[in-house]
């Protein structure tokens, strides 16, 4: 039984009210990018490369421009005149908005068509004739690291595809502990590249007001303020400084990390609106979304785990090659190039660990999205849990028993891991025991033995997932030099109602309900009378967005603090 401080009518923490945002969604009255329609709005579609690496010999747009309703074809050369053909990534790398001479991955943007109607633009991209000269391709990160490999990013001024090297832990101590262990299990672990594939693809409507000199962009972004900052970095030199940019993130049909990066399509649409003087709308189709948007995972790992015959896990050594495609565009707000990968000691009390990660360029779309987890935590957990299973098999110990033996004890919290993370609290033994009781673990093992005796196969999997959430505090988290934080602003009206604004952006998490409950809890105002707004950089306080399970821990905490001040 959950104890509550407020009445059901107020609906604070602990109550289960109906979600405030649901009525508009279940009635089909959400407001998505597709629903944004402005007077005189034009449509944009994008010509994409059929090659993973090629020199652009020529672009002939004459046939496309001859189609009624086609107004312009924008190339990298056009953007180059304004210094808009390159842009920064959130990891302080760079990527092309449109290429001026060479494409680096299949489905990369080559040029854009602007037309009066969506399907006119779609027809016109088929009429643009591009002549390519194919170049050697490297898609294997191991081959990309070999001497003489095809150079993906000659613009970096290096003769290698190596992006960065990062390591953490004590290599000598780890080596000594592994040598002293009864057994060291070693395994290559590959987590392949995957794609987010939200129900709604990415898109935007860019509208530049020449009189005001102000840009408004409706955009499918999980982090409106951070995107506004990136846009200012891209276009500040042509007069679009941050105070002249307004980013509005309407309702979003799923994000899962894939709507954190700045995609070239956004910038091209903005450039088109500025150059033409009319609103420009772009929504990618599903094929574009699957081919060209940022990807997750693509980690090639070799791991070694020490274990003694009594089942004591001793130390972990991890070496990883991270395939970032042609740009390191990871949506990673930590200060570590490999994100939070060094949570890879997991839930276990290891005495030594050393992790090395090397980022590599290949002729693939940019990678690094934190799909459905904090940044690289899934890769880390998969690695340690796979190794624990292998260790259990090698010494003939039940996988659950091995985990129970090596879990961090409840009285060890707060616990400092050997790789530097502080775990504030936990009771891993009780959590696993409860899960085992729910599924009837011991009975399942008996059933497994019986089936194996008949020649039937039955698998039982166990995994303990220790995740860092919240993307904070700022000592460990940072993006574009901005310390990670979030904000809340609460205004109480004379009639006792309230409006609360946040720098986060829901993609289905239910923020309007959660935040209203927090405010109701602190101020005693019924949650039904608390209006929650987010996603508009002109009205919301600066925040770093919604991802990594961070909104309630950061913006929710800010709401509680603001409410206490107001109260």
């Amino acid at each position: 039984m959950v104890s509550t401080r407020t009445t059901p009518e107020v609906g604070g923490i602990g109550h289960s009210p109906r979600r405030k945002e649901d009525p508009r969604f279940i009635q089909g009255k959400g407001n998505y990018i597709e629903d944004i329609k402005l007077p005189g709005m034009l449509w944009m579609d994008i010509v994409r490369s059929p090659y993973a690496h090629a020199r652009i010999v020529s672009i002939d747009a004459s046939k496309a421009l001859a189609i009624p309703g086609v107004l312009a074809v924008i190339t990298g050369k056009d953007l180059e005149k304004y210094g808009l053909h390159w842009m920064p990534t959130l990891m302080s790398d760079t990527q092309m908005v449109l290429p001026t001479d060479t494409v680096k991955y299949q489905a990369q943007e080559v040029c854009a068509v602007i037309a009066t109607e969506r399907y006119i633009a779609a027809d016109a991209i088929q009429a643009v004739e591009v002549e390519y000269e194919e170049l050697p391709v490297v898609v294997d990160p191991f081959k990309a690291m070999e001497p003489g490999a095809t150079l993906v990013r000659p613009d970096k001024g290096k003769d290698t595809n190596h992006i960065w090297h990062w390591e953490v832990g004590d290599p000598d101590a780890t080596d000594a502990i592994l040598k002293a262990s009864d057994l060291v299990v070693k395994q290559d672990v590959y987590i392949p590249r995957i794609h987010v594939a939200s129900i709604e693809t990415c898109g935007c409507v860019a509208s530049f007001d020449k009189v005001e000199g102000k840009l408004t962009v409706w955009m499918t972004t999980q982090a409106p303020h951070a995107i506004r900052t990136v846009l200012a970095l891209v276009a500040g030199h042509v007069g679009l400084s941050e105070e002249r940019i307004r980013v509005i993130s309407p309702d979003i049909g799923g994000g899962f990390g894939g709507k954190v990066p700045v995609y070239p399509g956004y910038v091209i649409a903005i450039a088109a609106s500025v150059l033409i003087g009319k609103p420009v709308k772009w929504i990618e189709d599903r094929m574009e979304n699957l081919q060209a948007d940022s990807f997750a995972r693509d980690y090639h790992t070799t791991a070694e785990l020490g274990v003694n015959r009594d089942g004591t896990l001793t130390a972990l050594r991890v070496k990883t090659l991270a395939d970032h495609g042609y740009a390191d565009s990871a949506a990673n707000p930590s200060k570590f190039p490999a994100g939070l990968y060094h949570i890879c000691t997991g839930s276990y009390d290891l005495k030594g660990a050393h992790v090395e990660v090397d980022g590599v360029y290949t002729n693939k779309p940019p990678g690094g999205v934190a799909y459905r987890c904090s940044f690289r935590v899934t890769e880390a957990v998969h690695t340690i849990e796979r190794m624990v299973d292998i260790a259990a098999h090698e010494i003939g110990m039940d996988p659950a028993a091995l985990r129970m033996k090596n879990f961090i004890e409840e009285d060890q919290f707060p616990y400092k891991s050997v790789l530097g993370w502080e775990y504030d609290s936990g009771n891993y033994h009780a959590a696993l025991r409860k899960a085992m009781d729910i599924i009837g673990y011991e009975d399942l093992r008996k059933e497994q033995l019986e089936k194996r005796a008949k020649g039937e196969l039955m698998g039982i999997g166990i995994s303990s997932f220790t995740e860092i959430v919240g993307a904070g505090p700022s000592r460990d988290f940072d993006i574009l030099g901005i310390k990670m934080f979030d904000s809340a602003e609460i205004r109480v009206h004379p009639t006792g109602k309230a409006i609360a604004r946040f720098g986060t952006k829901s993609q289905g998490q239910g923020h309007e309900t959660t935040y209203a409950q927090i405010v109701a809890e602190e101020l005693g105002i019924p949650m039904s009378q608390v209006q929650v707004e987010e996603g508009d950089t002109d009205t919301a306080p600066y925040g770093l967005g919604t991802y990594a399970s961070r909104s309630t821990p950061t913006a929710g905490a800010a709401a509680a603090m603001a409410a206490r001040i107001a109260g």
Side-chain angles (χ1 to χ4, degrees), residues 337-367:
L340 313 180
Y341 189 57
H342 52 308
I343 194 70
C344 60
T345 54
S347 311
Y348 309 105
D349 185 19
L350 301 183
K351 303 308 178 187
H354 181 238
V355 176
E356 294 182 78
V357 185
D358 289 276
V360 185
Y361 289 127
T362 60
N363 290 116
K364 296 179 184 177

Side-chain angles (χ1 to χ4, degrees), residues 177 305-306 311-316 344-353 384 388 402-413 415-419 423 428-429 466:
I177 296 171
L305 179 64
T312 302
L313 301 178
T314 59
L316 176 71
C344 60
T345 54
S347 311
Y348 309 105
D349 185 19
L350 301 183
K351 303 308 178 187
I384 183 62
V388 171
L402 182 61
R403 286 170 168 82
M404 288 289 195
K405 181 176 179 62
N406 289 281
F407 277 155
I408 302 163
E409 298 287 346
E410 187 179 4
D411 60 7
Q412 289 181 271
F413 293 96
Y415 172 83
K416 188 72 170 287
S417 82
V418 71
L419 292 178
Y423 297 24
Y428 303 149
H429 297 81
T466 300

Side-chain angles (χ1 to χ4, degrees), residues 253-294:
F256 307 106
K259 289 175 181 166
V260 176
V262 180
Y263 293 115
Y266 298 150
V267 180
I268 302 167
I270 291 168
S273 179
V274 173
L275 292 171
I276 297 172
K278 290 187 176 184
V280 175
K281 187 172 191 174
W282 167 70
I283 299 178
E284 63 182 0
D285 62 30
R286 181 59 66 190
M287 186 63 74
E288 292 176 291
N289 175 262
L290 292 173
Q291 285 184 310
D293 286 1
S294 289

Side-chain angles (χ1 to χ4, degrees), residues 15-208:
H15 294 287
S16 299
R18 292 184 176 180
R19 297 198 338 162
K20 289 168 66 70
E21 49 272 88
D22 281 357
R24 72 175 186 274
F25 292 135
I26 62 176
Q27 295 179 72
K29 294 181 179 179
N31 186 40
Y32 297 89
I33 284 294
E34 179 61 32
D35 299 308
I36 307 297
K37 296 177 175 63
L38 302 180
M41 187 176 73
L42 305 175
W43 279 89
M44 183 181 86
D45 209 336
I46 296 172
V47 177
R48 296 181 180 274
S49 170
Y51 300 106
H53 194 197
R55 186 172 69 86
I56 299 173
V57 177
S58 65
I59 299 176
D60 184 354
S62 58
K63 292 181 181 178
L65 291 169
I67 297 174
V70 174
L71 303 181
V73 175
I74 299 173
T75 68
K77 295 289 187 182
D78 297 322
L79 297 185
E80 186 179 26
K81 299 172 187 175
Y82 303 94
L84 296 175
H85 56 307
W86 285 89
M87 66 180 186
T89 71
L90 295 176
M91 282 302 290
S92 299
D93 198 354
T94 54
Q95 71 179 93
M96 301 177 209
V97 178
L98 283 175
T100 56
D101 51 29
T102 309
V103 291
K104 302 292 185 178
Y105 62 92
Q106 187 181 22
Q108 183 179 347
E109 300 82 357
V110 174
C111 61
V113 172
I114 311 299
T116 54
E117 296 180 21
R118 182 173 194 170
Y119 292 102
I120 292 177
D123 288 342
I125 64 170
Q126 304 298 325
V128 176
E129 297 178 350
V130 184
E131 182 182 352
Y132 300 93
E133 177 189 328
E134 288 190 69
L135 298 172
V137 172
V138 58
V139 293
D140 183 327
F142 293 96
K143 292 181 179 179
M145 291 286 281
E146 294 175 355
T150 297
L151 200 59
V152 177
R153 296 294 299 269
D155 59 289
K156 295 298 180 183
K158 300 190 299 182
D159 61 354
T160 175
N161 290 313
H162 187 247
I163 309 174
W164 43 257
H165 173 82
W166 176 77
E167 60 182 277
V168 62
D170 188 329
D172 295 333
T174 301
D175 186 61
I177 296 171
L178 288 174
K179 287 180 178 177
S181 302
D182 292 341
L183 179 68
V184 175
V185 294
K186 184 176 181 179
Q187 181 72 28
D188 291 333
V189 178
Y190 174 49
I191 304 185
R193 178 170 279 227
I194 64 170
H195 192 274
V196 173
S198 304
I199 291 177
E200 179 194 35
T201 61
C202 295
C204 69
V205 177
S207 180
F208 180 67

